[in-house]
Amino acid sequence: MKKAKKHEPHEEHIDESWLLPYSDLMTLLLALFIVLFGMSSIDAAKFEQMASALNSALNGGSGILDHTSMNPDTPGADLGKNKQEPKEITKNTPGQITDAQMAQKEQEDLEKLKKRLDQYISKNGLSDQLNTKLNQSELKITISDNALFSSGRADVKPESRSLAKAISSMLQEFPEYEVVVSGHTDNIPISNNQYKDNWDLSADRALNFLKILLLNTKLDPSKFTPSGYGEYHPIASNDSNVGRAQNRRVEVSIIRKYQSNNTAVKAVGKGN
């Protein structure tokens, strides 16, 4: 008679059934945090890549992330749409001034200054000696040489210093502009002991006139530049006395800071 085999006692296994809902819960929490992270990001492209990778890993590409991106009422759902370039902001934030607005203000400033200069010229009967012109690059004041200097000399006449002072008082109201004072001559060579050529004469005339402007301490010397051009920038023919007289001049140029190609500025002149 065979002896019955003794059965070894079964090992007691710990119940691990709780691991399944626990792992599901962890997976859902992971998905939730990834969704929240993606919704907080402004980069839609990265969000889409992350959502695609997660869906593929979890359930083959369909699930909560796809549903979120398809539901337009869900916060952040628009991140799943095709990324569009942001539209250009046309409204200014408070305190912001555009270049176009600055160019407009500059135009108004220069027109105001030109009007004051023209009134001064008319009031003092100087229309045959001074003229102003406003164009796309500058406001230019042109002064004939006989209004300021004796022939062949660069010292400003005592009676003409008041003109320089009048111009300087007008310029002080517009301190932000660069100013170039340039001297010009005709093409007749100079012959005296003080100057060897027209270069020197034109440069000294510009410098001396500029120094009188800067007697006004309200002007900033760093904004002013003297320049001598000699006979090489004529505005008329040197073949006649009238043309040569026009070429002998000092120009005070108030330089624009905003020169827009899109805004046509009509040149406005007075006098010659």
Side-chain angles (χ1 to χ4, degrees):
M1 182 176 177
K2 294 182 179 180
K3 294 182 179 180
K5 294 183 178 179
K6 292 182 180 181
H7 294 281
E8 296 180 0
H10 291 284
E11 295 180 1
E12 294 295 330
H13 294 281
I14 299 174
D15 185 5
E16 298 178 349
S17 59
W18 61 273
L19 288 174
L20 292 176
Y22 180 80
S23 63
D24 291 340
L25 178 61
M26 292 298 100
T27 301
L28 289 175
L29 286 174
L30 174 62
L32 175 62
F33 286 123
I34 292 176
V35 169
L36 292 175
F37 177 80
M39 290 171 62
S40 67
S41 173
I42 61 173
D43 193 332
K46 289 183 179 180
F47 175 82
E48 290 175 354
Q49 293 174 0
M50 187 171 13
S52 176
L54 183 60
N55 283 327
S56 297
L58 293 179
N59 47 26
S62 63
I64 186 171
L65 295 181
D66 284 341
H67 177 73
T68 300
S69 64
M70 292 172 61
N71 184 358
D73 296 329
T74 304
D78 57 339
L79 293 176
K81 299 178 182 179
N82 292 334
K83 185 177 180 181
Q84 297 181 350
E85 293 296 328
K87 294 182 179 179
E88 182 180 355
I89 298 175
T90 56
K91 293 184 178 180
N92 299 331
T93 57
Q96 182 181 12
I97 302 177
T98 66
D99 283 353
Q101 290 172 321
M102 292 299 295
Q104 179 62 33
K105 181 182 182 301
E106 178 179 82
Q107 179 68 15
E108 293 171 357
D109 285 349
L110 295 181
E111 286 179 355
K112 178 181 177 181
L113 177 55
K114 184 182 186 304
K115 182 178 180 180
R116 292 190 60 184
L117 287 164
D118 290 342
Q119 289 173 344
Y120 177 85
I121 292 170
S122 176
K123 181 179 178 180
N124 291 275
L126 299 173
S127 58
D128 59 336
Q129 297 177 324
L130 281 82
N131 67 77
T132 63
K133 185 175 182 180
L134 177 60
N135 58 31
Q136 290 184 338
S137 60
E138 63 193 359
L139 169 60
K140 182 183 293 183
I141 309 165
T142 301
I143 311 169
S144 65
D145 75 321
N146 59 13
L148 299 175
F149 312 104
S150 300
S151 178
R153 298 188 61 84
D155 299 324
V156 178
K157 298 176 183 178
E159 63 270 23
S160 300
R161 296 172 69 90
S162 60
L163 171 60
K165 293 178 181 178
I167 292 175
S168 73
S169 67
M170 298 181 204
L171 291 177
Q172 78 180 37
E173 297 183 22
F174 306 92
E176 67 273 20
Y177 293 99
E178 299 284 340
V179 178
V180 177
V181 180
S182 56
H184 303 263
T185 69
D186 58 26
N187 66 344
I188 297 178
I190 189 171
S191 57
N192 62 31
N193 296 328
Q194 189 174 4
Y195 298 105
K196 64 179 182 180
D197 56 33
N198 285 326
W199 282 110
D200 289 347
L201 175 62
S202 64
D204 258 11
R205 284 182 167 181
L207 182 59
N208 289 342
F209 189 76
L210 181 147
K211 286 180 177 179
I212 298 176
L213 293 177
L214 293 180
L215 290 175
N216 184 345
T217 57
K218 294 181 180 180
L219 296 178
D220 181 1
S222 67
K223 298 286 187 180
F224 286 74
T225 304
S227 182
Y229 288 99
E231 63 199 70
Y232 299 103
H233 289 263
I235 56 175
S237 172
N238 280 306
D239 294 335
S240 67
N241 290 333
V242 174
R244 287 191 293 270
Q246 292 179 15
N247 291 332
R248 297 189 301 269
R249 67 199 189 276
V250 168
E251 293 176 343
V252 180
S253 299
I254 298 92
I255 308 300
R256 287 183 184 271
K257 293 183 293 182
Y258 298 91
Q259 301 179 20
S260 174
N261 294 326
N262 298 323
T263 304
V265 179
K266 182 179 179 181
V268 180
K270 181 174 181 177
N272 295 335

